[in-house]
Amino acid sequence: MSHVETETADQPACWRRAAEVAAERADALPAAGERVAVVGCGTSYYMAQAYAALREESGQGESDAFAASEFPVGRAYDRVVALTRSGTTTEVLELLARLRGGTRTVVVTADPATPVREAADDLVVLDFADERSVVQTRFATSALTLFRAHLGLHTDAVVRDAETALAEPLPEGLLECTQFSFLGRGWTVGLANEAALKMKEASLSWTESYPAMEYRHGPISIATAGTATWMLGAAPEGLAEQVRATGARWVESALDPLAELVRIQRLAIARAVARGLDPDLPRHLTRSVVLDADA
């Protein structure tokens, strides 16, 4: 069994612990009413998108998400939240250095024994969710669970849905699909972006992601037999019927969207194995992007 398979299967237990950490470290996380920016790279950026949308939707305050390299330095925020599994990502460390002494920063990481310890004002550690695989699964979803719990939006039902997502067989025919479009609305747009990334990284699949209402504005033209359009969360009215009319496969479920992401992680791993790929070591990727000083 690959590391990523073990780490994917461990998510329900990690989510329970992340919810406990949210209560233990509530002081380090954004307070209601604060103007907040959330930053990350790759998977962490997409979890930042989901968290920022959730926080604003729940009335906790204005919340933005940025790739760490694209943060608008000079814009006023009460707090900047950074996600970095490794604690060594160059763009995150450089941004924290620029914000030092001006804007309060908190980092959520899996490894506190890294440069990020000295770079941030506050540190929230999810070391139980650290991973050996290059491909992120349990750290990303545990970080988002931490945020959902802090917002009062996490329940035991979400964990039970994750257990269901791990136990049920994957829908038939998906391994044979040649293209995947992942759709979301609100906070699940970030999850759709992460789903597409997971399929690219682990299985070299052709994937795209969009806000669900945007899918009609052009992207639906690629839908045909052999492709799958996968909705995370509630679909816009009539969209499922429109997609099915193209001959494409429509995929959705009643599971919590974060648990639905677990199903997609499983599919990415299954497709990698079917294609003879190593899902722990995607080509051209490393566990952390650490750039030379001159890069």
Side-chain angles (χ1 to χ4, degrees), residues 153-182:
L153 301 175
H154 174 76
T155 68
D156 289 339
V158 177
V159 178
R160 290 194 296 271
D161 277 359
E163 292 169 339
T164 298
L166 288 165
E168 289 185 343
L170 292 169
E172 292 185 7
L174 287 180
L175 281 176
E176 292 71 42
C177 287
T178 56
Q179 190 273 339
F180 296 83
S181 293
F182 295 99

Side-chain angles (χ1 to χ4, degrees), residues 206-240:
W206 174 23
T207 65
E208 299 177 319
S209 55
Y210 305 98
M213 290 296 288
E214 284 296 302
Y215 193 60
R216 296 181 173 100
H217 295 271
I220 196 172
S221 63
I222 65 171
T224 187
T227 66
T229 302
W230 197 315
M231 183 72 211
L232 288 96
E237 185 176 354
L239 184 56

Side-chain angles (χ1 to χ4, degrees), residues 26-282:
D27 60 315
L29 296 171
E34 287 186 341
R35 189 168 190 249
V36 171
V38 195
V39 302
C41 301
T43 288
S44 292
Y45 171 44
Y46 297 139
M47 294 300 102
Q49 289 179 330
Y51 170 42
L54 268 176
R55 186 174 185 272
E56 192 153 319
E57 288 171 7
S58 62
Q60 292 291 301
E62 186 174 346
S63 309
D64 297 320
F66 301 99
S69 59
E70 299 299 318
F71 182 81
V73 176
R75 186 178 296 181
Y77 289 101
D78 298 308
R79 196 180 312 232
V80 171
V81 180
L83 278 70
T84 168
R85 176 180 63 173
S86 68
T88 60
T89 306
T90 297
E91 298 100 302
V92 172
L93 292 174
E94 289 180 348
L95 174 60
L96 292 172
R98 295 180 72 180
L99 296 174
R100 191 75 172 177
T103 303
R104 187 161 192 83
T105 58
V106 56
V107 170
V108 178
T109 186
D111 188 355
T114 59
V116 78
R117 173 177 286 279
E118 304 302 324
D121 296 310
D122 291 301
L123 206 62
V124 177
V125 180
L126 305 179
D127 51 359
F128 55 86
D130 203 356
E131 297 156 329
R132 296 180 66 181
S133 176
V134 169
V135 173
Q136 282 199 52
T137 53
R138 70 183 181 190
F139 175 74
T141 61
S142 295
L144 188 53
T145 297
L146 170 90
F147 296 136
R148 293 179 83 185
H150 181 65
L151 294 172
L153 301 175
H154 174 76
T155 68
D156 289 339
V158 177
V159 178
R160 290 194 296 271
D161 277 359
E163 292 169 339
T164 298
L166 288 165
E168 289 185 343
L170 292 169
E172 292 185 7
L174 287 180
L175 281 176
E176 292 71 42
C177 287
T178 56
Q179 190 273 339
F180 296 83
S181 293
F182 295 99
L183 309 180
R185 302 186 80 179
W187 73 282
T188 69
V189 172
L191 297 188
N193 291 338
E194 168 59 8
L197 178 63
K198 211 66 0 187
M199 294 286 288
K200 288 188 181 85
E201 289 178 331
S203 66
L204 305 183
S205 298
W206 174 23
T207 65
E208 299 177 319
S209 55
Y210 305 98
M213 290 296 288
E214 284 296 302
Y215 193 60
R216 296 181 173 100
H217 295 271
I220 196 172
S221 63
I222 65 171
T224 187
T227 66
T229 302
W230 197 315
M231 183 72 211
L232 288 96
E237 185 176 354
L239 184 56
E241 290 76 16
Q242 284 181 273
V243 169
R244 291 189 182 106
T246 69
R249 184 185 185 94
W250 175 261
V251 186
E252 63 179 335
S253 85
L255 296 177
D256 181 88
L258 191 57
E260 186 71 351
L261 179 60
V262 173
R263 284 214 301 164
I264 296 163
Q265 293 170 347
R266 288 181 58 211
L267 176 63
I269 295 167
R271 282 179 62 85
V273 171
R275 300 184 66 182
L277 302 171
D278 183 349
D280 284 331
L281 296 170

